[in-house]
Amino acid sequence: MAPEGKRTGDSTHTAGSPQHTPAGYLDGRLLIAMPVMGDPRFERSVIYLCAHSAEGAMGIIVNQPAGSIDFPELLVQLGIIKKGEQIKLPENAESMKVLRGGPVDTGRGFVLHSSDFFIENATLRIDDGVCLTATVDILRAIANGSGPKHAILALGYAGWAPGQLETEIQSNGWLHCDADADLIFGGDVDDKYARALRKIGIDPGMLSNEAGHA
């Protein structure tokens, strides 16, 4: 598998316009990795699909922590706040999750957030409740308390070339389910994979390398 085959974060949708998913496309849904996939970068991953069309797909992994870096530290590194100002941050900024969003463009940040925040010509409205913004302005807004109510910051994204995701789904590499705010924005990152499986009626303990045909 090479989900980074689509090397662009630009979707086929126009930022700011409501999304109407054509039949067969999975914008706004969650992909759940199956054991038969065999790609360690996506093992036990849950991915929110931001865009899916005949031109390919783009999504954000929502259950893989980025590592030791936290959001206040990142704000200091980006020069948005000065060192020592972390204690003045709003509560949602202090607790905001920094995730590994995928293997493409890992030096770039993508913020998935609730639709109560919108930047003209910068925010992509994916569905009624979820948007994507990839500019530093949203980080400044979160830092000063004027950002969205719910948000996660992902470093990098997952991308698929035309037809690639469909092939992987047909090969039982992925299942998919409706997204909900808790699976996207919830703080219990480690439990998201099991909860996503239970959402579609699969007992995580029953999965094996032969699974994926449900």
Side-chain angles (χ1 to χ4, degrees):
M1 285 180 54
E4 67 271 36
K6 184 172 167 59
R7 284 286 314 181
T8 173
D10 296 331
S11 78
T12 56
H13 301 301
T14 302
S17 62
Q19 303 310 307
H20 301 288
T21 303
Y25 293 123
L26 303 174
D27 308 48
R29 289 178 67 82
L30 290 172
L31 293 177
I32 307 167
M34 298 304 291
V36 294
M37 179 192 306
D39 189 329
R41 298 169 303 172
F42 295 93
E43 183 177 354
R44 294 176 61 84
S45 65
V46 179
I47 298 179
Y48 181 78
L49 270 184
C50 302
H52 185 203
S53 73
E55 296 185 18
M58 177 265 184
I60 301 291
I61 301 174
V62 297
N63 69 326
Q64 292 186 5
S68 57
I69 190 167
D70 60 22
F71 186 65
E73 180 184 344
L74 194 64
L75 292 177
V76 173
Q77 290 184 13
L78 293 173
I80 294 173
I81 63 172
K82 295 178 181 178
K83 194 167 181 62
E85 290 182 344
Q86 295 99 316
I87 58 173
K88 302 177 184 177
L89 288 173
E91 183 179 346
N92 66 332
E94 288 184 359
S95 61
M96 184 164 163
K97 299 294 182 184
V98 181
L99 304 176
R100 191 184 76 87
V104 186
D105 250 353
T106 55
R108 187 178 176 196
F110 298 84
V111 180
L112 272 180
H113 58 92
S114 49
S115 56
D116 54 342
F117 181 88
F118 191 89
I119 300 175
E120 196 68 38
N121 298 321
T123 297
L124 172 70
R125 192 179 302 280
I126 300 165
D127 64 22
D128 289 342
V130 183
C131 296
L132 177 73
T133 305
T135 64
V136 72
D137 294 332
I138 189 172
L139 302 183
R140 292 193 182 99
I142 292 169
N144 66 29
S146 63
K149 182 177 181 181
H150 302 292
I152 55 173
L153 171 63
L155 302 178
Y157 67 91
W160 290 263
Q164 185 180 3
L165 179 57
E166 290 86 338
T167 298
E168 293 176 7
I169 291 173
Q170 290 169 4
S171 300
N172 296 309
W174 303 97
L175 293 176
H176 53 87
C177 69
D178 291 337
D180 64 55
D182 191 43
L183 280 172
I184 300 170
F185 303 118
D188 50 346
V189 174
D190 293 338
D191 192 45
K192 286 184 180 180
Y193 183 70
R195 287 192 292 114
L197 287 172
R198 287 194 292 266
K199 185 180 175 74
I200 54 176
I202 295 178
D203 179 355
M206 299 298 288
L207 279 183
S208 71
N209 285 339
E210 301 303 316
H213 299 276

